[in-house]
Amino acid sequence: MPARERVKIGRNDPCPCGSGKKYKHCCLPGYAPSIDNLWARQHEESDRLTREMMRFAAHKFGERIYEAWQDFNMSDVPKPLEECSEERQIFMPYFLFQWDPDVSRRGTGRRQGGVVARWYILEKSKQLTTMERMFLEQATTQPLSFYEVVWSKPGEGLLLRDVLIGGETEVIERSASRALQQGDLVYGQIWYEPELAVLGSSAPVVIPPDRKLQVIELRKQLKKRIAKQHRYLTPHDLLRYQDLIRATYLGIRDALHAPPRLCNTDGDPLLFHTLTFRIESVETAFDALAPLALGHSREELLDDAERGEDGRLRSVDFDWIREGNRKIKSWDNTIVGHIKISEGRLIAELNSENRAKRLRKEIEKRLGSQAVHESTLARTLEEMQRSLPHQEAADTEARDAEFEAMLRDPEVREQLQATVQKQVEGWVYERIPALGGRTPIEAVRDPDGREMVEALLLQWERHDERDISANQIRPDIGAIRRLLNLASPVS
């Protein structure tokens, strides 16, 4: 990978560290101040320049900042800028140094800085110091990329690996280094200043390891675009496709800010349905629907049934069970819903729209005119929780407490641990949509797939570390790494 260019500074020029001395008497070998002092001076000067450019932009461009906000978000109706205070951290550098209203939003091609920076340089050319020129050159010519944290020294700095073009850079970073961990990703721009490198700009979003899969897909897409040239990706390519790279960041940002999407084991969104039918006979309905309880005989289902004094069946309830599980291949069967039959009424409860439709179809097929659909009630999880009677809530808490007590039994814990571990290790043979429909054991056979699987495992391990429940059953992710022949991450 070619070295990135730096501003040339003459020996008799003012030293860019801001000391006021000539470069030959300050930061040349033998005269250099400490890195901390150098960083502090350059950081102060960079902040001063940014404030000055903000005043300049407000005077010259006024309300056009909202046009720039639209372009940055690649949307005509983005969330209002006033409601996105944190996002200003990455947007304002874009506005000052990259935004160009004369370039098509999704166009390509290398740009020599944005309109604000060009106007500022034109008007202030004779007043700019050597350091200010260096900052402006770095801000307008260095590409933005996705960087993976190799290691972090909180309050000091980071070692960053460019996920798109490769190469590692140690940067001085006082603030972000406190929040970032190994494996996190940063969308940002590195400035190469005299004697040190810094994050000139970076997004406020800490991108977790599993989102690296989207960045790897972006890398594959960029490589495909230059495939006929038989070369590696370069910083020039990142400048050429900067809008495509930013679009990937926006997609990740919006997904991270979106409310969690809760799904059942079929992958359907959770939406609790209650189906109500009017029926003619409890016996007839039970005989027709009992086969839906896969693996259970008619006699087993009737063990807890209620009968009248004449011996006739008055009520019975049982689970709708089907063979296997779409997501967890180690499961022999899946409870899909619950059916309760009583005199004159059949009520079925399910946790998704698709399951509700399938069961309604089954009931109407098996019972025909002997079952008349009366209503379908759909409720979200929040609505379910609000409507939960006090006694049911207390029962739920009691069941949770009972389960916690069970986990204190070493034998029970050992059995549950073994069951969980079996399910977890079965993951390596499951087809994962995020891996392009491949199984992890297939994906690790190529470099990109291997990198994706490692990112997923790192996110899995981090999730387990955050759960500090005393009796939490935690799978051994190291066993999965051994199955896939992957090394453990270096801490």
Side-chain angles (χ1 to χ4, degrees), residues 4-177:
R4 310 207 188 188
E5 297 179 359
R6 298 185 182 183
V7 177
K8 293 183 179 179
I9 303 172
R11 291 169 60 85
N12 291 311
D13 287 337
C15 184
C17 74
S19 65
K21 300 178 182 178
K22 291 184 178 180
Y23 186 47
K24 66 179 180 180
H25 292 313
C26 185
C27 288
L28 283 176
Y31 296 92
S34 71
I35 289 294
D36 284 344
N37 290 338
L38 188 61
W39 175 84
R41 292 173 185 171
Q42 294 183 5
H43 185 69
E44 182 180 351
E45 186 68 12
S46 172
D47 284 350
R48 190 204 61 76
L49 176 64
T50 300
R51 290 193 298 270
E52 176 61 30
M53 288 191 68
M54 287 292 294
R55 287 191 289 269
F56 175 85
H59 175 68
K60 291 288 185 180
F61 294 90
E63 292 298 312
R64 296 200 72 183
I65 190 173
Y66 296 102
E67 180 186 343
W69 177 241
Q70 290 176 314
D71 287 345
F72 174 81
N73 285 281
M74 299 182 172
S75 169
D76 292 331
V77 284
K79 188 175 181 180
L81 176 59
E82 292 78 10
E83 298 178 16
C84 303
S85 57
E86 288 189 353
E87 195 69 3
R88 288 174 176 266
Q89 179 178 318
I90 188 66
F91 166 65
M92 293 313 301
Y94 169 83
F95 175 52
L96 296 178
F97 304 120
Q98 281 97 40
W99 176 60
D100 192 337
D102 298 325
V103 176
S104 133
R105 180 180 291 171
R106 290 173 177 80
T108 60
R110 184 163 185 167
R111 305 172 188 174
Q112 295 300 318
V115 63
V116 176
R118 293 200 304 270
W119 275 50
Y120 184 81
I121 293 172
L122 185 64
E123 290 200 9
K124 306 288 184 177
S125 177
K126 295 181 180 180
Q127 304 168 34
L128 294 174
T129 67
T130 302
M131 181 181 283
E132 289 172 335
R133 291 181 184 277
M134 177 196 68
F135 289 148
L136 286 166
E137 181 181 14
Q138 293 287 298
T140 55
T141 63
Q142 291 296 340
L144 279 90
S145 187
F146 288 94
Y147 296 95
E148 181 178 14
V149 177
V150 179
W151 53 250
S152 172
K153 293 181 180 178
E156 297 183 26
L158 305 158
L159 181 62
L160 301 177
R161 177 185 298 123
D162 193 320
V163 180
L164 297 179
I165 62 177
E168 296 182 351
T169 305
E170 186 173 346
V171 300
I172 305 297
E173 175 53 52
R174 303 297 188 234
S175 178
S177 59

Side-chain angles (χ1 to χ4, degrees), residues 235-252:
H236 172 76
D237 296 311
L238 303 192
L239 289 167
R240 183 182 180 190
Y241 298 114
Q242 58 186 308
D243 289 340
L244 182 59
I245 295 168
R246 189 170 77 260
T248 301
Y249 161 70
L250 295 173
I252 293 173

